[in-house]
């Protein structure tokens, strides 16, 4: 004869089996997603390695020199002059050569009340070089 406790126990076992199966199914889905993402990451890493190798091949000095010689008449390439990159007045001065205005302490930070005349020039020329 079946008692009410038996029905409760059978129901609990069925519920436990269903929950266990659901957790296993979710775990398998997550594991498959992890494998897919790992495969995508490996593909991206391989692509990055291939692109780095391609860049190294394309920027070889011997290859570039041959291209310059081949297309010299069409491109009219000339070596870059140092003044094309930066003019001497745009380079920052070493700290020991920075002029100190009269009445200011050499070690005190300079605070100017007037607005800068040219913000771009001030950004370029206000740096200093530590020696």
């Amino acid at each position: 004869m079946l008692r009410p406790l038996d029905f409760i126990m059978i129901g609990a076992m069925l519920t436990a089996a269903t929950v266990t199966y659901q957790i296993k199914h979710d775990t398998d889905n997550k594991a498959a997603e992890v494998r897919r993402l790992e495969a995508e990451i490996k593909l991206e890493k391989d692509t990055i390695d291939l692109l780095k190798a391609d860049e190294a091949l394309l920027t070889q000095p011997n290859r570039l020199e041959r291209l310059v010689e081949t297309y010299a008449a069409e491109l009219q390439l000339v070596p870059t002059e140092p003044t094309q990159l930066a003019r001497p007045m745009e380079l920052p001065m070493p700290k020991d050569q920075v002029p100190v205005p009269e009445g200011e302490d050499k070690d005190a930070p300079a605070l100017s009340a007037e607005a800068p005349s040219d913000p771009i020039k001030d950004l370029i020329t206000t740096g200093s070089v530590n020696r």
Side-chain angles (χ1 to χ4, degrees):
M1 171 168 230
L2 293 176
R3 298 181 194 163
L5 181 62
D6 293 339
F7 288 114
I8 293 174
M9 293 304 292
I10 291 172
M13 289 184 348
L14 289 175
T15 304
T18 304
V19 169
T20 303
Y21 176 76
Q22 187 64 39
I23 291 172
K24 180 189 177 300
H25 183 69
D26 290 344
T27 304
D28 290 343
N29 288 343
K30 294 294 182 186
E33 184 178 350
V34 167
R35 285 191 298 274
R36 182 186 59 81
L37 290 173
E38 286 174 346
E40 283 183 26
I41 291 171
K42 183 175 180 343
L43 177 66
E44 292 298 323
K45 285 182 179 180
D46 290 345
T47 303
I48 290 170
D49 289 342
L50 181 64
L51 289 173
K52 284 181 181 178
D54 194 31
E55 179 189 18
L57 179 68
L58 292 175
T59 58
Q60 286 180 344
N62 294 336
R63 178 186 175 276
L64 294 176
E65 188 176 335
R66 284 193 316 262
L67 289 173
V68 167
E69 290 171 4
T70 303
Y71 297 106
E74 292 176 37
L75 299 176
Q76 299 175 358
L77 297 174
V78 293
T80 304
E81 296 294 324
T83 56
Q84 288 178 291
L85 302 176
R87 294 179 296 203
M89 61 187 280
E90 295 174 339
L91 297 175
M93 289 191 288
K95 280 187 177 180
D96 59 346
Q97 295 179 3
V98 175
V100 177
E102 291 182 25
E104 284 190 22
D105 184 15
K106 187 174 184 177
D107 297 328
L111 298 174
S112 175
E114 60 186 57
S117 59
D118 183 4
I120 303 299
K121 182 179 176 187
D122 289 342
L123 285 174
I124 293 172
T125 59
T126 57
S128 62
V129 177
N130 293 329
R131 287 186 179 201

